[in-house]
Amino acid sequence: MNAADLGLPVDVPSTALFTDQYELTMLQAALRAGTADRHSVFEVFTRRLPEGRRYGVLAGVGRVLDAVENFRFDPAVLGFLRERGIVDEPTLEWLSRYRFSGDIWGYPEGEVYFPGSPVLRVEGSFAECVLLETVILSILNHDSAIAAAASRMSAAAGGRRLIEMGARRTHELAAVASARAAYVGGFDSTSDLAAGFRYGIPTVGTSAHAFTLLHDSERDAFRAQVDTLGRGTTLLVDTYDVTEAVRAAVEIAGPELGAVRIDSGDLLLVAHRVRQQLDELGARDTKIVVTSDLDEYAIASLAAAPVDAYGVGTQLVTGSGHPTCSMVYKLVARASSADPKAPLVPVAKKSLGGKASVGGRKWAARRRDADGVAETEVVGTGPVPEALAGDQLLVELVKGGEVMAREPLEAARARHIAARAALPMSAVQLSRGEPVLPTEYI
């Protein structure tokens, strides 16, 4: 969601140079050849999911809409292009007036996808559409990778709360996007204040080991934190001796202590011991939060532990081993001339090595069984079969250059939870396997 819609004074800078140089050189050549104004259809899809993944999660759609709106070539940007001699003066003149005026359709944010799913369709003149390729792929490849990892972790957590805390493990701007994508994928909060400021995501955080080490004793540190943040705070109990720390925490905060955090050791064993100790001390409502290099497999291994929340950093912001989705942006149809009435001609790359594409403007629908469980991802280029008319996946995002589908981030998060729940149960298994739905082309 655009920060302006949340009442937050955060401006998105021009995204015009978030692109590869060959987008502009293609534009120059097309302008000179007289083909730049041909009506064209580009689609974003992936040919395969990362190895072992059963489904993908589309995230970053709201950020794409912001990027398209802010794709402007201001005087400073034009001056840079002129100084470097990247394009000629007629092209610079064309760029100075650039405003995307086409249409964008796509899967709504939070929806799941499969190989071949046309998750985004960008339509307009070749010139205005080709320029958006790099920034769109940059956003969707990154955010969807994080959301997919978050979704797997969310499924493994089984309803227990998840805290995104990877800001220190990635680029400072990527950290904000990662927190947003993780929220779409099922996380509940973030430690990153910029993400809370920009996107309204709930933020959490109390103290690190440095705070304990600062004080003359662990008790002094706990007392200072409780005096400042209240009895409902979360105390970090593994700086020295966990058993002694838990005892001190309850003595200082009382049974109203909000939570204890464990950041090292055998988390399964330590969590059981801490839970028993808290109960014996009368702190039955005190929660246990675990951190320490968690991923979906570690979270799943703690399913039987008395853990109430997980904090995840490195593995989340790196896509749990798959930091990109390998999405591509391909021309699938174009007019034979610049005449507005010229019919669209399907085009496709023919290539060895699995890089071929399927031509034609596509629609997508999800076939379901009698119980409403998804069976097949259906992708077609002709008329939509009547039986699938009510199950189409693409929605109108931009019409005539105007954003039509901006929504609260909560809507994308809720959509993902519902979409994942409608998949076969094997979708959330962590064992390696093929995509849980086959893609059928008609």
Side-chain angles (χ1 to χ4, degrees):
M1 184 172 186
N2 191 313
D5 293 337
L6 292 172
L8 303 179
V10 179
D11 294 325
V12 178
S14 168
T15 52
L17 291 184
F18 293 168
T19 191
D20 291 308
Q21 180 169 315
Y22 80 167
E23 312 291 8
L24 300 189
T25 55
M26 281 193 289
L27 168 66
Q28 177 176 303
L31 288 170
R32 188 170 296 181
T35 53
D37 290 332
R38 290 186 176 185
H39 191 80
S40 300
V41 180
F42 288 82
E43 289 176 350
V44 176
F45 62 93
T46 185
R47 296 184 176 94
R48 63 191 67 84
L49 297 179
E51 183 181 359
R53 295 290 172 88
R54 304 291 181 92
Y55 61 93
V57 181
L58 183 67
V61 174
R63 296 209 308 122
V64 165
L65 298 180
D66 290 344
V68 171
E69 277 194 332
N70 289 277
F71 205 91
R72 304 283 187 269
F73 292 84
D74 58 31
V77 169
L78 293 169
F80 165 78
L81 297 175
R82 179 178 290 108
E83 178 185 343
R84 294 291 182 93
I86 291 172
V87 290
D88 60 19
E89 285 299 325
T91 304
L92 290 172
E93 174 62 24
W94 189 95
L95 290 173
S96 71
R97 301 188 302 271
Y98 180 86
R99 300 290 185 275
F100 180 73
S101 62
D103 303 328
I104 301 178
W105 287 70
Y107 283 32
E109 188 156 17
E111 184 58 85
V112 297
Y113 68 86
F114 300 91
S117 297
V119 296
L120 203 72
R121 189 175 75 215
V122 182
E123 195 161 345
S125 71
F126 175 85
E128 64 180 338
C129 295
V130 75
L131 293 182
L132 299 177
E133 175 181 6
T134 304
V135 70
I136 286 176
L137 289 179
S138 176
I139 293 170
L140 295 185
N141 269 313
H142 174 270
D143 290 22
S144 298
I146 306 305
S151 178
R152 285 163 60 85
M153 294 174 189
S154 173
R160 296 172 177 177
R161 298 187 70 79
L162 289 161
I163 306 163
E164 185 281 318
M165 46 196 307
R168 63 190 59 195
R169 303 301 189 199
T170 189
H171 186 279
E172 66 272 18
L173 298 182
V176 182
S178 294
R180 183 187 184 282
Y183 193 68
V184 170
F187 272 58
D188 300 284
S189 57
T190 179
S191 66
D192 190 278
L193 289 177
F197 178 70
R198 187 159 197 159
Y199 297 116
I201 301 170
T203 58
V204 296
T206 50
S207 67
H209 292 104
F211 185 76
T212 301
L213 296 170
L214 168 69
H215 292 80
D216 295 335
S217 71
E218 192 169 50
R219 285 178 173 271
D220 288 344
F222 287 175
R223 191 172 292 109
Q225 184 174 326
V226 171
D227 287 348
T228 303
L229 300 179
R231 297 176 185 272
T233 191
T234 298
L235 294 175
L236 181 59
V237 295
D238 72 326
T239 305
Y240 303 118
D241 181 271
V242 173
T243 301
E244 288 301 317
V246 171
R247 182 179 295 112
V250 177
E251 287 179 5
I252 291 168
E256 299 86 9
L257 175 62
V260 295
R261 179 163 74 95
I262 307 166
D263 188 51
S264 60
D266 183 336
L267 296 179
L268 179 61
L269 176 62
V270 176
H272 277 287
R273 288 178 174 174
V274 168
R275 181 73 271 160
Q276 180 179 352
Q277 186 182 8
L278 287 170
D279 291 347
E280 290 173 350
L281 293 171
R284 296 183 176 276
D285 294 329
T286 299
K287 307 298 184 184
I288 296 176
V289 181
V290 296
T291 52
S292 184
D293 292 327
L294 299 177
D295 61 10
E296 60 264 50
Y297 300 101
I299 291 170
S301 73
L302 292 168
V307 171
D308 299 287
Y310 306 92
V312 189
T314 303
Q315 291 301 318
L316 177 61
V317 298
T318 57
S320 195
H322 297 290
T324 182
C325 302
S326 299
M327 290 181 180
V328 295
Y329 183 99
K330 295 298 180 183
L331 181 66
V332 296
R334 51 87 175 168
S336 56
S337 73
D339 185 340
K341 297 180 180 180
L344 286 174
V345 178
V347 294
K349 176 181 178 180
K350 294 183 179 180
S351 174
L352 300 177
K355 282 196 169 186
S357 57
V358 178
R361 180 203 278 134
K362 298 173 193 66
W363 52 265
R366 193 161 295 149
R367 185 181 293 126
R368 304 173 188 273
D369 65 16
D371 296 319
V373 178
E375 288 184 320
T376 308
E377 192 87 340
V378 184
V379 177
T381 56
V384 180
E386 186 175 344
L388 295 174
D391 297 310
Q392 294 189 70
L393 293 164
L394 277 75
V395 298
E396 191 172 41
L397 301 172
V398 176
K399 182 178 182 179
E402 180 181 352
V403 173
M404 306 296 290
R406 199 167 264 123
E407 62 182 4
L409 199 56
E410 290 286 352
R413 187 171 187 272
R415 179 180 296 113
H416 174 62
I417 293 170
R420 188 179 67 194
L423 295 175
M425 293 181 65
S426 60
V428 297
Q429 292 178 344
L430 295 182
S431 56
R432 293 184 179 276
E434 297 299 314
V436 73
L437 296 188
T439 303
E440 175 185 333
Y441 291 95
I442 62 174

